[in-house]
Amino acid sequence: MVFNIFKWYCFSIFMANVKLVIFDLDGTLNNSAQTIKYCFRRTGEYYGKYDISEECLDTGLTGPFDVNISKVLELKPDQVGEAIRRYVVHFEEQSPRMSELFPGSTETILYLKEHGCKIGLATMMVESYAVAILRHYGILELFDSVHGTTDDFRYGKEDLIRFCLIDTGLNAEDAIMVGDGQDDHRAAKVAGTRFVAALYGFGLDKEYCIENDIPGISDVSELKDLINQLS
């Protein structure tokens, strides 16, 4: 109960005058945990790793992908590029079948747009794959700005947030970032936007929100409910 009061108090501050909502993809809009774990396991087989624990796989669900694959598969620096290429082959084969939008994602985006918000995407997935996933779900046209990383991972999440701001012509104080990882939170702070934690995702919990004085949502639809309460 205490957390709920804290959460809605923060929301009333965070959501005031929001003109742009920037979503992370995996763990925020897209429930892709099983796809990611499957691809890590299949890629690991090439390197003779057949017993990767669930706990280890969980550590690879949020954050920069090149760092995650190196960590999860315990790779040497010169192995990372090849591992990523092998992972991508498995990902392209399995993602449409093993991933799905979190319930309420489409309805929430539509509601935010109807209430005057622009919608952005900032993901550490390679941009061409992110675009393909949004198109697969039939929601690509709902986004005013979509940015992912490049094949060589030259951009960080904070860069992608800034690109969304540039595309929409808005300032950082006009926007919130919604994400499920500590790197999402860090990037939002660096880029100057507000942040809402997707607690239903892969990397954040209520304790993290309280410790960092940030609001969290237990369901993506709570963004829609919040707009209802404030309108």
Side-chain angles (χ1 to χ4, degrees):
M1 179 64 180
V2 173
F3 178 75
N4 286 336
I5 294 172
F6 167 80
K7 178 176 68 176
W8 290 111
Y9 170 74
C10 287
F11 277 170
S12 66
I13 298 172
F14 271 63
M15 293 298 289
N17 301 315
V18 170
K19 299 177 183 177
L20 170 63
V21 179
I22 305 171
F23 290 97
D24 175 45
L25 183 55
D26 290 324
T28 302
L29 292 176
N30 186 31
N31 187 359
S32 56
Q34 295 310 309
T35 307
I36 294 170
K37 291 180 179 182
Y38 171 87
C39 294
F40 276 140
R41 288 193 183 99
R42 290 298 310 276
T43 305
E45 291 171 4
Y46 176 78
Y47 297 96
K49 301 179 186 300
Y50 296 94
D51 57 352
I52 306 172
S53 70
E54 281 293 315
E55 292 76 14
C56 182
L57 291 169
D58 285 340
T59 68
L61 294 178
T62 63
F65 177 67
D66 54 334
V67 174
N68 287 344
I69 196 168
S70 177
K71 173 181 59 180
V72 171
L73 302 185
E74 300 178 319
L75 301 174
K76 298 176 181 178
D78 61 356
Q79 294 178 307
V80 173
E82 174 64 22
I84 290 173
R85 287 189 288 274
R86 291 182 177 276
Y87 178 101
V88 165
V89 171
H90 298 305
F91 183 86
E92 289 178 327
E93 293 173 348
Q94 298 299 328
S95 183
R97 297 195 298 124
M98 298 180 71
S99 299
E100 60 183 0
L101 284 176
F102 282 107
S105 293
T106 302
E107 293 80 2
T108 298
I109 292 171
L110 284 168
Y111 193 87
L112 292 170
K113 289 187 72 69
E114 289 169 0
H115 283 73
C117 291
K118 293 185 180 295
I119 305 297
L121 186 84
T123 173
M124 290 307 292
M125 182 183 292
V126 172
E127 186 171 306
S128 59
Y129 297 122
V131 168
I133 286 172
L134 296 180
R135 183 178 292 115
H136 169 73
Y137 289 137
I139 60 173
L140 178 60
E141 299 306 316
L142 299 181
F143 286 79
D144 299 282
S145 178
V146 174
H147 287 284
T149 193
T150 56
D151 292 336
D152 58 0
F153 298 93
R154 77 177 69 126
Y155 299 124
K157 178 63 73 75
E158 60 271 25
D159 298 311
L160 307 178
I161 294 172
R162 291 184 183 118
F163 294 157
C164 289
L165 293 171
I166 292 169
D167 286 350
T168 56
L170 295 169
N171 298 317
E173 57 267 27
D174 297 322
I176 60 168
M177 173 74 200
V178 184
D180 71 311
Q182 292 186 26
D183 189 59
D184 296 321
H185 181 210
R186 178 203 61 78
K189 288 194 290 185
V190 172
T193 71
R194 291 161 283 177
F195 182 73
V196 173
L199 301 178
Y200 54 88
F202 305 149
L204 300 178
D205 56 23
K206 294 178 181 178
E207 288 70 26
Y208 183 87
C209 290
I210 293 171
E211 289 171 5
N212 290 275
D213 195 27
I214 56 174
I217 53 174
S218 56
D219 184 289
V220 67
S221 297
E222 287 188 8
L223 284 172
K224 181 177 67 174
D225 297 339
L226 179 63
I227 294 293
N228 267 327
Q229 292 198 14
L230 296 180
S231 49

